[in-house]
Amino acid sequence: MGDFNIGPKFSLLGGLRYEHYNMDYNANFVYVTHDVDGDAALFDTLNTVDRNDDDFFPNVQIRYKYTDWGDVRMAYTKSIIRPDYRAIIPNTYYVQGSGSLTGNPKLEPTISDNFDLIFSFYHNKVGLFTVGGFYKKMQDVFFQSDLFYQNLSSYNASFPDSNAWKELGFKKHQWPARSDKITTFLNNPDPAYVKGLEFEWQTNFWYLPRPLNALVLNINYARIWSEMDYQQIQNREVLYTYVDDKGRIRTGTHYVTTDTVRTARLLNQADHIVNVAAGIDYKGFSGRLSFNLQGDVISYIGTRPEVDQYTGNIYKWDITLQQQLPIEGLSIAFNGVNIFHNVRKEYQKFPNFVGGNANENLYRTTYAPRKFELNLRYSL
């Protein structure tokens, strides 16, 4: 990394990071059969994976100070979002006729190219006010989905194919059906785009009469637009006729795979984010009450739009209090997280075949815990 000043108004900060990543994992392969022929069995062994990734991450930031009370900054960064551990371990759990899941060691991390432009304004009474815009292009966005067994081999190395079932000694009627759904993780082949505006104001009111001069305020608001073309892999049941070995005309069904695309917001990306913190700094005492609002997000992408799950708005309140004690370097602090025990609600829409409009159904309600801690700190 290098920091360069070019004259009194222009500066440049640039750097390059190289990252080598290795994953060497063992995970269980569990197959549970409930067979009609009486040969029910539990098969439990290990899958292994050894994989290496190498990535370069450049970073360039430019600052131009056009006046004593303002500057403009431009930046380009390349960043990475790695999959959750449970998404990439080579585990497989298959139960005949029931829900099955498998990890995906082939899953690639998401790589994002980020562009930022920020204007800053500062003054003794105004404090610091910033307004900025950002744009991101994200490749290999990953998400959880249900895939049909006949399509799984193209995306996942953990789940056995037909040759593997033979080698493992399973009879053909014990193999998964072509239309069995397996829950796994996959990379989206199309990129995601995120753009937005962000506003922030940080100030204290030192110029007001006592006790108002002890007040501090921090407000941040982001308006975000996101979009991605989601790959949708579906099986459609098709009827066909055939002649059996006795010359009789029979009917049967087979599944035709369709690979379609639909556009929606980026998974887990809110359109609105608000952070507000108000507090007091007075002599050795400091206190903050903070509020966070995250707008509704899509929490699960289904194979059809009506199977998608999404949250309502999510609210959270936190508090922090700190007091310096008479002994130099000694302080006591109290922190509270999610003090009002706010709820997170998830919904799913189902088609209304009578009225034509979709019904919104409450799918899940979860409560994040309240956390309180009392600290005694001594600093040298």
Side-chain angles (χ1 to χ4, degrees):
M1 184 176 68
D3 191 355
F4 307 94
N5 292 317
I6 306 171
K9 295 185 176 182
F10 187 84
S11 63
L12 184 147
L13 177 67
L16 179 69
R17 187 175 88 251
Y18 164 72
E19 184 176 294
H20 172 76
Y21 172 78
N22 169 259
M23 52 179 277
D24 185 3
Y25 293 153
N26 296 320
N28 284 79
F29 169 31
V30 178
Y31 183 97
V32 182
T33 67
H34 303 289
D35 205 87
V36 295
D37 295 334
D39 55 349
L42 172 65
F43 182 85
D44 192 353
T45 185
L46 289 178
N47 286 333
T48 63
V49 61
D50 190 351
R51 167 180 153 186
N52 295 287
D53 290 334
D54 296 277
D55 293 288
F56 289 92
F57 299 98
N59 182 320
V60 178
Q61 302 178 45
I62 300 172
R63 179 193 182 198
Y64 178 68
K65 187 174 175 62
Y66 54 84
T67 181
D68 291 339
W69 47 265
D71 63 48
V72 59
R73 305 181 188 209
M74 294 171 286
Y76 164 74
T77 57
K78 184 178 180 181
S79 56
I80 187 170
I81 306 169
R82 293 200 174 277
D84 184 85
Y85 172 71
R86 68 190 180 97
I88 58 175
I89 58 174
N91 71 306
T92 295
Y93 184 79
Y94 180 73
V95 182
Q96 283 186 327
S98 183
S100 304
L101 56 90
T102 181
N104 186 356
K106 290 183 178 180
L107 200 67
E108 295 290 339
T110 300
I111 302 295
S112 179
D113 291 294
N114 314 296
F115 302 88
D116 296 88
L117 177 65
I118 301 174
F119 293 89
S120 300
F121 311 93
Y122 27 87
H123 187 271
N124 281 343
K125 290 188 176 181
V126 174
L128 173 63
F129 179 77
T130 60
V131 56
F134 54 88
Y135 173 83
K136 303 174 184 291
K137 181 179 179 181
M138 307 171 70
Q139 301 281 0
D140 291 321
V141 174
F142 50 83
F143 57 93
Q144 186 176 6
S145 185
D146 293 329
L147 292 180
F148 296 100
Y149 171 67
Q150 70 178 44
N151 309 121
L152 196 64
S153 60
S154 301
Y155 298 89
N156 191 283
S158 293
F159 209 86
D161 58 15
S162 57
N163 292 326
W165 290 121
K166 294 178 183 177
E167 294 176 1
L168 293 170
F170 288 101
K171 302 174 184 177
K172 192 167 184 178
H173 67 274
Q174 294 176 315
W175 301 0
R178 290 167 57 84
S179 59
D180 280 359
K181 289 184 179 180
I182 313 296
T183 300
T184 188
F185 294 81
L186 55 85
N187 289 112
N188 199 64
D190 296 313
Y193 299 93
V194 181
K195 57 185 178 181
L197 296 172
E198 185 173 5
F199 306 88
E200 185 164 4
W201 183 35
Q202 302 178 31
T203 190
N204 62 65
F205 299 94
W206 58 270
Y207 50 87
L208 296 179
R210 293 182 180 181
L212 299 179
N213 63 343
L215 297 176
V216 296
L217 181 66
N218 187 351
I219 301 175
N220 177 278
Y221 168 69
R223 175 66 172 99
I224 303 167
W225 296 267
S226 64
E227 180 179 279
M228 186 168 75
D229 292 334
Y230 288 88
Q231 185 182 38
Q232 301 284 274
I233 302 170
Q234 299 179 1
N235 276 9
R236 182 167 53 90
E237 191 175 41
V238 177
L239 292 173
Y240 68 96
T241 60
Y242 66 96
V243 179
D244 65 12
D245 54 0
K246 295 183 179 181
R248 294 173 297 187
I249 298 177
R250 299 288 190 180
T251 61
T253 61
H254 68 274
Y255 291 90
V256 176
T257 298
T258 59
D259 189 348
T260 60
V261 169
R262 67 180 172 96
T263 303
R265 282 191 296 163
L266 183 63
L267 191 69
N268 294 317
Q269 177 62 68
D271 288 343
H272 304 273
I273 298 177
V274 178
N275 290 284
V276 180
I280 297 175
D281 288 332
Y282 181 73
K283 295 184 178 180
F285 174 79
S286 177
R288 297 288 187 276
L289 177 65
S290 59
F291 166 78
N292 170 260
L293 162 65
Q294 176 185 279
D296 61 277
V297 303
I298 299 175
S299 56
Y300 176 78
I301 292 291
T303 54
R304 303 184 309 276
E306 62 269 20
V307 185
D308 290 352
Q309 296 167 17
Y310 57 95
T311 71
N313 293 337
I314 301 172
Y315 308 91
K316 188 163 75 76
W317 292 83
D318 303 325
I319 190 171
T320 299
L321 305 173
Q322 182 171 312
Q323 175 65 58
Q324 298 292 330
L325 298 179
I327 301 175
E328 184 177 356
L330 190 65
S331 64
I332 188 171
F334 172 80
N335 298 317
V337 177
N338 192 28
I339 58 177
F340 295 121
H341 205 210
N342 292 102
V343 65
R344 171 190 171 112
K345 294 185 177 182
E346 292 189 57
Y347 301 89
Q348 185 171 341
K349 287 186 178 180
F350 294 92
N352 184 344
F353 297 103
V354 178
N357 295 322
N359 293 322
E360 185 176 79
N361 293 270
L362 181 62
Y363 176 79
R364 180 188 293 119
T365 300
T366 56
Y367 293 86
R370 281 178 286 204
K371 299 178 183 179
F372 300 98
E373 60 179 25
L374 186 64
N375 300 320
L376 186 65
R377 175 180 297 175
Y378 180 74
S379 301
L380 298 175

